[in-house]
Coordinates of all heavy atoms in Angstrom, one line a residue:
M8 N 21.7 23.0 10.6 CA 20.9 21.8 10.0 C 20.2 22.3 8.7 O 19.6 23.4 8.7 CB 19.8 21.4 11.0 CG 19.2 20.0 10.7 SD 18.0 19.6 12.0 CE 17.9 17.9 11.7
A9 N 20.4 21.6 7.7 CA 19.9 22.0 6.4 C 18.3 21.8 6.5 O 17.8 20.9 7.2 CB 20.4 21.0 5.3
F10 N 17.6 22.6 5.7 CA 16.2 22.6 5.6 C 15.6 21.2 5.3 O 14.6 20.8 5.8 CB 15.7 23.6 4.6 CG 15.1 24.9 5.2 CD1 15.8 25.5 6.3 CD2 14.0 25.6 4.7 CE1 15.3 26.6 6.9 CE2 13.6 26.7 5.2 CZ 14.2 27.2 6.4
R11 N 16.3 20.6 4.3 CA 16.0 19.2 3.9 C 15.9 18.2 5.1 O 15.1 17.3 5.1 CB 17.0 18.7 2.9 CG 16.7 19.1 1.5 CD 15.7 18.1 0.9 NE 15.0 18.8 -0.2 CZ 13.8 18.6 -0.5 NH1 13.0 17.7 0.1 NH2 13.3 19.2 -1.5
D12 N 16.8 18.4 6.1 CA 16.9 17.5 7.2 C 15.9 18.0 8.3 O 15.5 17.1 9.1 CB 18.3 17.4 7.8 CG 19.3 17.0 6.7 OD1 19.0 16.1 5.9 OD2 20.4 17.6 6.6
K13 N 15.6 19.2 8.4 CA 14.9 19.8 9.5 C 13.3 19.6 9.3 O 12.6 19.5 10.2 CB 15.2 21.3 9.6 CG 14.7 21.9 10.8 CD 15.3 23.3 11.0 CE 14.7 24.0 12.2 NZ 15.2 25.4 12.3
Y14 N 12.9 19.8 8.0 CA 11.5 19.7 7.7 C 11.1 18.5 6.8 O 12.0 18.0 6.1 CB 11.1 21.0 7.0 CG 11.3 22.3 7.7 CD1 12.5 23.0 7.5 CD2 10.5 22.6 8.8 CE1 12.7 24.1 8.2 CE2 10.8 23.8 9.5 CZ 11.9 24.5 9.3 OH 12.2 25.6 10.0
D15 N 9.9 18.0 7.0 CA 9.4 16.9 6.2 C 8.7 17.3 4.9 O 7.5 17.6 4.9 CB 8.5 16.0 7.1 CG 8.0 14.8 6.3 OD1 8.5 14.5 5.2 OD2 7.2 14.1 6.9
F16 N 9.4 17.4 3.8 CA 8.8 17.9 2.6 C 8.0 16.8 1.9 O 7.4 17.1 0.9 CB 9.9 18.4 1.6 CG 10.5 19.7 2.2 CD1 11.8 19.7 2.8 CD2 9.8 20.9 2.0 CE1 12.3 20.9 3.3 CE2 10.4 22.1 2.6 CZ 11.6 22.0 3.2
S17 N 7.9 15.6 2.4 CA 7.1 14.6 1.8 C 5.6 14.9 2.1 O 4.7 14.2 1.6 CB 7.4 13.2 2.3 OG 7.1 13.1 3.7
L18 N 5.3 15.9 3.0 CA 4.0 16.3 3.3 C 3.4 17.2 2.2 O 2.2 17.4 2.2 CB 3.9 17.0 4.7 CG 4.3 16.1 5.9 CD1 4.4 17.0 7.1 CD2 3.3 15.0 6.1
L19 N 4.3 17.5 1.3 CA 3.8 18.4 0.2 C 3.2 17.5 -0.9 O 3.8 16.4 -1.2 CB 4.9 19.1 -0.5 CG 5.4 20.4 0.2 CD1 6.6 21.0 -0.6 CD2 4.3 21.4 0.2
M20 N 2.0 17.8 -1.4 CA 1.6 17.0 -2.6 C 0.9 17.8 -3.6 O 0.3 18.8 -3.3 CB 0.8 15.8 -2.1 CG -0.6 16.1 -1.6 SD -1.6 14.6 -1.5 CE -1.9 14.3 -3.2
N21 N 1.0 17.4 -4.9 CA 0.4 18.1 -6.0 C -1.0 17.5 -6.2 O -1.1 16.4 -6.6 CB 1.3 18.0 -7.2 CG 0.7 18.7 -8.4 OD1 -0.4 19.3 -8.3 ND2 1.4 18.6 -9.5
D22 N -2.0 18.2 -5.9 CA -3.4 17.7 -6.1 C -3.7 17.3 -7.5 O -4.5 16.4 -7.8 CB -4.4 18.8 -5.7 CG -5.2 18.4 -4.5 OD1 -5.0 17.2 -4.0 OD2 -6.0 19.2 -4.1
K23 N -3.0 17.8 -8.5 CA -3.2 17.5 -9.9 C -2.8 16.0 -10.1 O -3.4 15.4 -11.1 CB -2.4 18.3 -10.8 CG -2.9 19.8 -11.0 CD -4.1 19.9 -11.9 CE -4.7 21.3 -11.9 NZ -3.9 22.3 -12.6
E24 N -2.0 15.4 -9.3 CA -1.6 14.0 -9.5 C -2.8 13.1 -9.5 O -2.9 12.2 -10.3 CB -0.6 13.7 -8.4 CG 0.1 12.3 -8.7 CD 1.1 12.0 -7.6 OE1 2.0 12.8 -7.3 OE2 1.0 10.9 -7.0
R25 N -3.7 13.3 -8.4 CA -4.9 12.5 -8.4 C -5.7 12.6 -9.6 O -6.2 11.6 -10.1 CB -5.8 13.0 -7.2 CG -5.4 12.5 -5.8 CD -6.4 12.9 -4.7 NE -6.8 14.3 -4.8 CZ -8.0 14.7 -5.0 NH1 -9.0 13.9 -5.1 NH2 -8.3 16.0 -5.1
F26 N -5.9 13.8 -10.1 CA -6.7 14.0 -11.3 C -6.1 13.3 -12.5 O -6.8 12.7 -13.4 CB -6.9 15.5 -11.6 CG -7.6 16.2 -10.5 CD1 -7.1 17.5 -10.1 CD2 -8.7 15.7 -9.8 CE1 -7.8 18.2 -9.2 CE2 -9.3 16.3 -8.8 CZ -8.9 17.6 -8.5
V27 N -4.8 13.5 -12.7 CA -4.1 12.9 -13.8 C -4.2 11.4 -13.8 O -4.5 10.8 -14.8 CB -2.6 13.4 -13.9 CG1 -1.8 12.5 -14.8 CG2 -2.6 14.9 -14.3
V28 N -4.0 10.8 -12.6 CA -4.0 9.3 -12.6 C -5.5 8.8 -12.9 O -5.6 7.9 -13.6 CB -3.6 8.8 -11.1 CG1 -3.9 7.3 -11.0 CG2 -2.1 9.1 -11.0
A29 N -6.5 9.5 -12.4 CA -7.9 9.1 -12.6 C -8.2 9.3 -14.1 O -8.9 8.5 -14.7 CB -8.8 9.9 -11.8
E30 N -7.8 10.4 -14.7 CA -8.0 10.7 -16.1 C -7.3 9.7 -17.0 O -7.9 9.2 -18.0 CB -7.6 12.1 -16.4 CG -7.8 12.5 -17.9 CD -9.3 12.6 -18.3 OE1 -10.2 12.8 -17.4 OE2 -9.5 12.5 -19.5
L31 N -6.1 9.3 -16.6 CA -5.3 8.3 -17.4 C -6.1 7.0 -17.4 O -6.2 6.3 -18.4 CB -3.9 8.2 -16.8 CG -3.0 7.2 -17.6 CD1 -2.7 7.7 -19.0 CD2 -1.7 7.0 -16.9
E32 N -6.5 6.6 -16.2 CA -7.2 5.3 -16.1 C -8.4 5.3 -17.0 O -8.7 4.3 -17.7 CB -7.6 5.1 -14.6 CG -8.3 3.8 -14.4 CD -8.6 3.5 -12.9 OE1 -8.5 4.5 -12.1 OE2 -9.0 2.4 -12.5
A33 N -9.2 6.4 -17.0 CA -10.4 6.5 -17.8 C -10.0 6.4 -19.3 O -10.7 5.7 -20.1 CB -11.1 7.8 -17.5
Q34 N -9.0 7.2 -19.7 CA -8.7 7.2 -21.1 C -8.1 5.9 -21.6 O -8.3 5.5 -22.8 CB -7.7 8.4 -21.4 CG -8.4 9.7 -21.3 CD -7.5 10.8 -21.9 OE1 -6.7 10.6 -22.8 NE2 -7.7 12.1 -21.4
L35 N -7.4 5.2 -20.8 CA -6.7 4.0 -21.2 C -7.7 2.8 -21.4 O -7.4 1.8 -22.0 CB -5.6 3.5 -20.2 CG -4.3 4.3 -20.3 CD1 -3.3 3.7 -19.3 CD2 -3.7 4.4 -21.7
K36 N -8.9 3.1 -20.8 CA -10.0 2.0 -21.0 C -10.3 1.9 -22.5 O -10.7 0.8 -22.9 CB -11.3 2.4 -20.2 CG -11.1 2.0 -18.8 CD -12.3 2.3 -17.9 CE -12.0 1.9 -16.5 NZ -12.8 2.8 -15.5
V37 N -10.2 2.9 -23.2 CA -10.5 2.9 -24.6 C -9.3 2.9 -25.6 O -9.3 2.9 -26.7 CB -11.5 4.0 -25.1 CG1 -12.9 3.8 -24.5 CG2 -11.0 5.4 -24.7
R38 N -8.1 3.0 -24.9 CA -6.9 3.0 -25.7 C -6.1 1.6 -25.4 O -5.1 1.6 -24.8 CB -5.9 4.1 -25.3 CG -6.5 5.5 -25.6 CD -6.5 5.8 -27.1 NE -5.2 5.7 -27.7 CZ -4.4 6.8 -27.8 NH1 -4.6 7.9 -27.4 NH2 -3.2 6.6 -28.4
T39 N -6.7 0.6 -25.9 CA -6.2 -0.8 -25.5 C -4.9 -1.1 -26.1 O -4.2 -2.0 -25.7 CB -7.3 -1.9 -25.9 OG1 -7.6 -1.7 -27.3 CG2 -8.6 -1.7 -25.1
E40 N -4.5 -0.3 -27.1 CA -3.2 -0.6 -27.8 C -2.0 -0.1 -27.0 O -0.9 -0.4 -27.2 CB -3.2 0.1 -29.2 CG -3.0 1.6 -29.2 CD -4.3 2.4 -28.9 OE1 -5.2 1.9 -28.3 OE2 -4.3 3.6 -29.2
V41 N -2.3 0.8 -26.0 CA -1.2 1.4 -25.2 C -0.7 0.5 -24.1 O -1.5 -0.1 -23.4 CB -1.7 2.7 -24.6 CG1 -0.7 3.4 -23.7 CG2 -2.2 3.7 -25.7
C42 N 0.6 0.4 -24.0 CA 1.2 -0.4 -22.9 C 0.9 0.1 -21.5 O 0.9 1.3 -21.3 CB 2.7 -0.4 -23.1 SG 3.6 -1.4 -21.8
R43 N 0.6 -0.8 -20.6 CA 0.2 -0.3 -19.2 C 1.2 -0.8 -18.2 O 0.9 -1.1 -17.0 CB -1.1 -1.0 -18.8 CG -2.3 -0.4 -19.5 CD -3.2 -1.4 -20.0 NE -3.8 -0.9 -21.3 CZ -4.9 -0.2 -21.3 NH1 -5.5 0.0 -20.2 NH2 -5.3 0.2 -22.4
C44 N 2.5 -1.1 -18.6 CA 3.5 -1.5 -17.6 C 3.8 -0.3 -16.7 O 3.5 0.8 -17.0 CB 4.7 -2.0 -18.3 SG 5.8 -0.7 -19.0
Q45 N 4.4 -0.6 -15.6 CA 4.8 0.4 -14.5 C 5.5 1.6 -15.2 O 5.2 2.7 -14.9 CB 5.6 -0.3 -13.5 CG 6.4 0.6 -12.5 CD 5.5 0.9 -11.2 OE1 4.5 0.2 -11.0 NE2 6.0 1.9 -10.5
E46 N 6.5 1.2 -16.0 CA 7.3 2.3 -16.6 C 6.5 3.3 -17.5 O 6.6 4.4 -17.4 CB 8.4 1.5 -17.4 CG 9.6 2.4 -17.7 CD 10.7 1.5 -18.4 OE1 10.6 0.3 -18.5 OE2 11.6 2.2 -18.9
C47 N 5.7 2.7 -18.4 CA 4.9 3.5 -19.3 C 3.9 4.3 -18.5 O 3.7 5.5 -18.8 CB 4.2 2.6 -20.3 SG 5.4 2.0 -21.5
V48 N 3.2 3.7 -17.5 CA 2.1 4.4 -16.8 C 2.8 5.6 -16.1 O 2.3 6.8 -16.1 CB 1.3 3.5 -15.9 CG1 0.5 4.3 -14.9 CG2 0.4 2.6 -16.8
L49 N 3.9 5.4 -15.4 CA 4.5 6.4 -14.6 C 5.1 7.5 -15.6 O 5.0 8.7 -15.3 CB 5.6 5.9 -13.7 CG 5.1 5.1 -12.6 CD1 6.2 4.7 -11.6 CD2 4.1 5.9 -11.7
D50 N 5.6 7.1 -16.7 CA 6.1 8.0 -17.7 C 4.9 8.9 -18.2 O 5.1 10.1 -18.3 CB 6.7 7.4 -18.9 CG 8.1 6.9 -18.7 OD1 8.7 7.3 -17.7 OD2 8.6 6.1 -19.6
M51 N 3.7 8.3 -18.4 CA 2.6 9.1 -18.9 C 2.1 10.1 -17.8 O 1.8 11.2 -18.1 CB 1.5 8.1 -19.3 CG 1.7 7.4 -20.6 SD 0.4 6.4 -21.2 CE 0.6 4.9 -20.4
V52 N 2.1 9.6 -16.6 CA 1.7 10.5 -15.5 C 2.6 11.7 -15.3 O 2.2 12.8 -15.2 CB 1.5 9.7 -14.2 CG1 1.3 10.7 -12.9 CG2 0.3 8.8 -14.2
A53 N 4.0 11.4 -15.4 CA 5.0 12.4 -15.2 C 4.9 13.5 -16.3 O 4.9 14.6 -16.1 CB 6.3 11.8 -15.2
L54 N 4.7 13.0 -17.5 CA 4.6 13.8 -18.7 C 3.4 14.7 -18.6 O 3.5 15.9 -18.8 CB 4.6 13.0 -20.0 CG 4.9 13.7 -21.3 CD1 6.2 14.5 -21.3 CD2 4.8 12.7 -22.4
A55 N 2.3 14.1 -18.3 CA 1.0 14.9 -18.2 C 1.1 15.9 -17.1 O 0.7 17.1 -17.2 CB -0.2 13.9 -17.9
L56 N 1.7 15.5 -15.9 CA 1.9 16.5 -14.8 C 2.8 17.7 -15.2 O 2.6 18.8 -14.8 CB 2.5 15.8 -13.5 CG 1.4 15.0 -12.8 CD1 2.1 14.1 -11.7 CD2 0.4 15.9 -12.2
N57 N 3.8 17.4 -16.0 CA 4.6 18.5 -16.5 C 4.0 19.5 -17.4 O 4.5 20.5 -17.7 CB 5.9 17.9 -17.2 CG 6.9 17.4 -16.2 OD1 6.9 17.8 -15.0 ND2 7.7 16.5 -16.6
H58 N 2.7 19.1 -17.9 CA 2.0 20.0 -18.8 C 0.8 20.5 -18.1 O -0.2 20.9 -18.8 CB 1.6 19.2 -20.0 CG 2.8 19.0 -21.0 ND1 3.7 18.0 -20.9 CD2 3.3 19.9 -21.9 CE1 4.6 18.1 -21.8 NE2 4.5 19.2 -22.4
T59 N 0.7 20.4 -16.8 CA -0.4 21.0 -16.1 C 0.1 21.9 -15.0 O 1.3 21.7 -14.5 CB -1.3 19.9 -15.4 OG1 -0.5 19.2 -14.5 CG2 -2.0 19.0 -16.4
K60 N -0.6 22.9 -14.7 CA -0.2 23.8 -13.6 C -0.4 23.1 -12.3 O -1.5 22.6 -12.0 CB -1.1 25.1 -13.7 CG -0.7 26.2 -12.7 CD -1.5 27.5 -13.1 CE -1.4 28.5 -12.1 NZ -2.4 28.4 -11.0
P61 N 0.6 23.0 -11.5 CA 0.5 22.3 -10.2 C -0.4 23.0 -9.1 O -0.6 24.2 -9.2 CB 2.0 22.2 -9.7 CG 2.6 23.3 -10.3 CD 2.0 23.6 -11.7
V62 N -1.0 22.2 -8.3 CA -1.8 22.7 -7.2 C -1.3 22.0 -6.0 O -1.8 20.9 -5.5 CB -3.3 22.4 -7.3 CG1 -4.1 22.9 -6.2 CG2 -3.8 23.0 -8.7
Y63 N -0.3 22.6 -5.3 CA 0.3 21.9 -4.2 C -0.4 22.3 -2.9 O -1.0 23.4 -2.8 CB 1.8 22.4 -4.0 CG 2.7 21.5 -4.8 CD1 3.1 21.9 -6.1 CD2 3.2 20.3 -4.4 CE1 4.0 21.2 -6.9 CE2 4.0 19.5 -5.1 CZ 4.4 19.9 -6.4 OH 5.2 19.1 -7.1
R64 N -0.4 21.3 -2.0 CA -1.0 21.5 -0.7 C -0.2 20.7 0.3 O 0.5 19.8 0.0 CB -2.5 21.2 -0.6 CG -2.8 19.8 -0.8 CD -4.3 19.5 -0.9 NE -4.5 18.2 -1.3 CZ -4.6 17.2 -0.4 NH1 -4.5 17.4 0.9 NH2 -4.8 15.9 -0.7
V65 N -0.4 21.0 1.6 CA 0.3 20.3 2.7 C -0.7 19.3 3.2 O -1.8 19.7 3.7 CB 0.8 21.3 3.8 CG1 1.4 20.5 4.9 CG2 1.7 22.3 3.1
T66 N -0.3 18.0 3.2 CA -1.3 17.0 3.6 C -1.7 17.1 5.1 O -2.8 16.7 5.4 CB -0.7 15.6 3.3 OG1 0.5 15.5 4.0 CG2 -0.6 15.4 1.8
L67 N -0.9 17.7 5.9 CA -1.2 17.8 7.4 C -2.5 18.6 7.6 O -3.2 18.4 8.5 CB -0.1 18.7 8.1 CG 1.1 17.9 8.7 CD1 1.9 19.0 9.4 CD2 0.5 16.9 9.6
L68 N -2.8 19.5 6.6 CA -3.9 20.4 6.8 C -5.2 19.6 6.5 O -6.3 20.2 6.6 CB -3.9 21.6 5.9 CG -2.7 22.6 6.3 CD1 -2.6 23.7 5.3 CD2 -2.9 23.1 7.7
G69 N -5.1 18.4 6.1 CA -6.3 17.6 5.9 C -6.9 17.7 4.5 O -6.3 18.2 3.6
A70 N -8.2 17.4 4.4 CA -8.8 17.2 3.1 C -9.3 18.5 2.5 O -10.5 18.7 2.4 CB -9.9 16.2 3.2
I71 N -8.4 19.4 2.2 CA -8.8 20.6 1.5 C -8.6 20.4 0.0 O -7.6 20.8 -0.5 CB -8.1 21.9 2.0 CG1 -8.3 22.0 3.5 CG2 -8.7 23.1 1.3 CD1 -7.3 23.1 4.1
Y72 N -9.4 19.6 -0.6 CA -9.1 19.2 -2.0 C -9.7 20.2 -3.0 O -10.7 20.8 -2.8 CB -9.9 17.9 -2.3 CG -9.4 16.7 -1.6 CD1 -10.3 15.9 -0.7 CD2 -8.1 16.2 -1.7 CE1 -9.8 14.9 0.0 CE2 -7.6 15.2 -1.0 CZ -8.5 14.4 -0.2 OH -8.0 13.4 0.5
A73 N -8.9 20.4 -4.1 CA -9.4 21.1 -5.2 C -10.4 20.1 -5.8 O -10.3 18.9 -5.7 CB -8.3 21.4 -6.1
T74 N -11.5 20.6 -6.5 CA -12.4 19.7 -7.1 C -12.2 19.7 -8.6 O -11.8 20.7 -9.2 CB -13.9 20.0 -6.8 OG1 -14.2 21.3 -7.4 CG2 -14.1 20.1 -5.3
A75 N -12.6 18.6 -9.2 CA -12.4 18.5 -10.7 C -13.7 19.0 -11.4 O -13.8 18.8 -12.6 CB -12.2 17.0 -11.1
E76 N -14.6 19.6 -10.6 CA -15.8 20.1 -11.2 C -15.6 21.3 -12.0 O -16.4 21.7 -12.9 CB -16.8 20.4 -10.1 CG -17.4 19.2 -9.4 CD -17.9 19.5 -8.0 OE1 -18.2 20.7 -7.7 OE2 -18.1 18.5 -7.3
D77 N -14.4 22.0 -11.8 CA -14.0 23.1 -12.6 C -13.8 22.7 -14.0 O -12.9 21.8 -14.2 CB -12.8 23.7 -11.9 CG -12.2 24.9 -12.7 OD1 -12.5 25.0 -13.9 OD2 -11.5 25.6 -12.1
D78 N -14.5 23.2 -15.0 CA -14.4 22.7 -16.4 C -13.0 23.0 -17.0 O -12.4 22.2 -17.7 CB -15.4 23.4 -17.2 CG -16.8 22.8 -17.1 OD1 -16.8 21.6 -16.5 OD2 -17.7 23.4 -17.6
G79 N -12.4 24.2 -16.6 CA -11.1 24.5 -17.1 C -10.1 23.6 -16.6 O -9.2 23.1 -17.3
L80 N -10.2 23.2 -15.3 CA -9.3 22.2 -14.7 C -9.4 20.9 -15.4 O -8.4 20.2 -15.8 CB -9.5 22.1 -13.3 CG -8.5 21.3 -12.4 CD1 -8.6 21.8 -11.0 CD2 -8.8 19.9 -12.4
H81 N -10.6 20.4 -15.7 CA -10.8 19.1 -16.3 C -10.2 19.1 -17.8 O -9.6 18.2 -18.2 CB -12.3 18.7 -16.3 CG -12.4 17.3 -17.0 ND1 -12.8 17.1 -18.2 CD2 -12.1 16.1 -16.5 CE1 -12.9 15.8 -18.5 NE2 -12.4 15.2 -17.4
T82 N -10.5 20.2 -18.5 CA -10.0 20.3 -19.9 C -8.4 20.2 -19.9 O -7.8 19.5 -20.7 CB -10.4 21.6 -20.5 OG1 -11.9 21.6 -20.4 CG2 -10.0 21.7 -21.9
E83 N -7.8 21.0 -19.0 CA -6.4 21.0 -18.9 C -5.8 19.6 -18.6 O -4.9 19.2 -19.4 CB -5.9 22.0 -17.7 CG -4.4 22.1 -17.6 CD -3.9 22.5 -16.2 OE1 -4.6 22.1 -15.2 OE2 -2.9 23.1 -16.1
V84 N -6.4 18.9 -17.7 CA -5.9 17.6 -17.3 C -6.2 16.6 -18.5 O -5.3 15.8 -18.9 CB -6.6 17.1 -16.0 CG1 -6.3 15.6 -15.8 CG2 -6.0 17.9 -14.8
A85 N -7.3 16.6 -19.1 CA -7.7 15.7 -20.2 C -6.8 15.9 -21.4 O -6.3 14.9 -21.9 CB -9.2 16.0 -20.6
E86 N -6.5 17.2 -21.7 CA -5.6 17.4 -22.8 C -4.1 17.0 -22.5 O -3.5 16.5 -23.4 CB -5.6 18.9 -23.2 CG -6.9 19.3 -23.9 CD -7.0 20.8 -24.2 OE1 -6.1 21.6 -23.8 OE2 -8.1 21.2 -24.7
A87 N -3.7 17.2 -21.3 CA -2.3 16.8 -21.0 C -2.2 15.3 -21.0 O -1.2 14.8 -21.4 CB -2.0 17.3 -19.5
V88 N -3.2 14.6 -20.5 CA -3.2 13.1 -20.6 C -3.2 12.6 -22.0 O -2.5 11.7 -22.3 CB -4.3 12.6 -19.7 CG1 -4.5 11.0 -19.9 CG2 -4.1 12.9 -18.2
V89 N -4.1 13.2 -22.9 CA -4.1 12.7 -24.3 C -2.7 12.9 -24.9 O -2.2 12.0 -25.5 CB -5.1 13.6 -25.1 CG1 -5.0 13.3 -26.6 CG2 -6.6 13.3 -24.7
G90 N -2.1 14.0 -24.6 CA -0.8 14.3 -25.2 C 0.3 13.3 -24.7 O 1.1 12.8 -25.4
A91 N 0.2 13.0 -23.4 CA 1.1 12.1 -22.8 C 1.0 10.7 -23.3 O 2.0 10.0 -23.6 CB 1.0 12.1 -21.2
I92 N -0.3 10.2 -23.4 CA -0.5 8.9 -24.0 C 0.1 8.7 -25.4 O 0.8 7.8 -25.7 CB -2.0 8.5 -24.0 CG1 -2.6 8.3 -22.6 CG2 -2.3 7.2 -24.8 CD1 -4.1 8.2 -22.5
D93 N -0.2 9.7 -26.2 CA 0.2 9.7 -27.6 C 1.8 9.7 -27.7 O 2.4 8.9 -28.4 CB -0.3 10.9 -28.4 CG -1.8 10.8 -28.7 OD1 -2.3 9.7 -28.5 OD2 -2.4 11.8 -29.0
K94 N 2.4 10.5 -26.8 CA 3.8 10.6 -26.8 C 4.5 9.3 -26.4 O 5.5 8.8 -27.0 CB 4.3 11.8 -26.0 CG 5.7 12.3 -26.3 CD 5.9 13.7 -25.9 CE 7.3 14.1 -26.3 NZ 7.6 15.5 -26.0
I95 N 4.1 8.8 -25.2 CA 4.7 7.5 -24.7 C 4.4 6.4 -25.6 O 5.2 5.5 -25.8 CB 4.2 7.3 -23.3 CG1 4.6 8.5 -22.3 CG2 4.8 6.0 -22.7 CD1 6.2 8.8 -22.3
Y96 N 3.2 6.3 -26.2 CA 2.8 5.3 -27.1 C 3.8 5.3 -28.3 O 4.3 4.3 -28.8 CB 1.4 5.4 -27.6 CG 1.0 4.3 -28.6 CD1 1.0 3.0 -28.2 CD2 0.6 4.7 -29.9 CE1 0.7 2.0 -29.2 CE2 0.2 3.7 -30.8 CZ 0.3 2.4 -30.4 OH -0.1 1.4 -31.3
A97 N 4.1 6.5 -28.8 CA 4.9 6.6 -30.0 C 6.4 6.4 -29.6 O 7.2 5.8 -30.4 CB 4.8 8.0 -30.6
N98 N 6.8 6.7 -28.4 CA 8.2 6.6 -27.9 C 8.3 5.9 -26.6 O 8.7 6.6 -25.6 CB 8.8 8.0 -27.9 CG 9.1 8.5 -29.3 OD1 9.9 7.9 -30.0 ND2 8.5 9.6 -29.6
P99 N 7.9 4.7 -26.4 CA 8.0 4.0 -25.1 C 9.5 4.0 -24.7 O 10.4 3.9 -25.5 CB 7.4 2.7 -25.3 CG 7.5 2.4 -26.8 CD 7.5 3.7 -27.4
S100 N 9.8 4.0 -23.4 CA 11.2 4.0 -22.9 C 11.7 2.6 -22.9 O 12.9 2.4 -22.5 CB 11.3 4.7 -21.5 OG 10.4 4.1 -20.6
H101 N 11.0 1.6 -23.3 CA 11.4 0.2 -23.5 C 11.1 -0.3 -24.9 O 10.4 0.4 -25.6 CB 10.8 -0.7 -22.4 CG 9.4 -0.7 -22.5 ND1 8.6 -1.3 -23.5 CD2 8.4 -0.2 -21.6 CE1 7.3 -1.2 -23.2 NE2 7.2 -0.4 -22.1
A102 N 11.7 -1.4 -25.3 CA 11.4 -1.9 -26.6 C 10.0 -2.4 -26.7 O 9.3 -2.7 -25.7 CB 12.3 -3.2 -26.8
R103 N 9.4 -2.1 -27.8 CA 8.0 -2.5 -28.0 C 7.8 -4.0 -28.0 O 8.6 -4.7 -28.5 CB 7.5 -2.0 -29.4 CG 6.2 -1.3 -29.4 CD 5.9 -0.8 -30.8 NE 6.1 0.6 -31.0 CZ 5.3 1.5 -30.6 NH1 4.2 1.2 -29.9 NH2 5.5 2.8 -30.8
N104 N 6.7 -4.5 -27.4 CA 6.5 -6.0 -27.4 C 5.9 -6.4 -28.7 O 5.1 -5.8 -29.3 CB 5.5 -6.3 -26.3 CG 6.1 -6.0 -24.9 OD1 7.3 -6.2 -24.7 ND2 5.3 -5.6 -23.9
Ligands
ZN16 ZN1 5.5 -0.2 -21.2

């Protein structure tokens, strides 16, 4: 039996995803020119996550959350999100409205 079939890898999650989504929501409040369709928002999250160091954990173990109180972590996420917004705004994967 392959590992893929034997174990539930959906229990793995990257804690940075929560931070990136929250940071994107905050930054888009003042970037009203940026498209917020499903495609663009997911593209921005994916791009920002690819520019941050992942923090994976197993959800079964419960709420052992990394905290965003770490300044270095917040700076990394904020910079990755700024970059992702600028890039997707300049090059959306759909025609501009
Ligand atoms: Zn869009």
Side-chain angles (χ1 to χ4, degrees):
M8 196 178 196
F10 259 39
R11 273 277 156 214
D12 303 318
K13 189 173 179 183
Y14 300 101
D15 182 4
F16 291 102
S17 71
L18 296 172
L19 279 176
M20 70 166 289
N21 179 2
D22 245 356
K23 287 281 173 74
E24 190 181 308
R25 275 185 316 119
F26 299 140
V27 164
V28 170
E30 180 65 25
L31 182 65
E32 185 176 7
Q34 290 193 24
L35 284 184
K36 279 181 183 152
V37 292
R38 295 288 304 269
T39 53
E40 76 281 17
V41 178
C42 179
R43 287 132 214 274
C44 75
Q45 167 90 12
E46 202 174 347
C47 288
V48 167
L49 289 186
D50 279 349
M51 288 185 274
V52 170
L54 193 58
L56 281 171
N57 282 336
H58 286 89
T59 57
K60 186 167 168 273
V62 180
Y63 275 97
R64 67 188 173 84
V65 178
T66 54
L67 269 186
L68 295 178
I71 306 168
Y72 294 120
T74 67
E76 286 157 22
D77 178 338
D78 281 348
L80 190 154
H81 183 260
T82 303
E83 180 205 31
V84 168
E86 286 175 0
V88 168
V89 169
I92 291 173
D93 288 344
K94 196 156 183 178
I95 299 302
Y96 177 61
N98 285 298
S100 53
H101 56 72
R103 226 181 257 281
N104 294 328

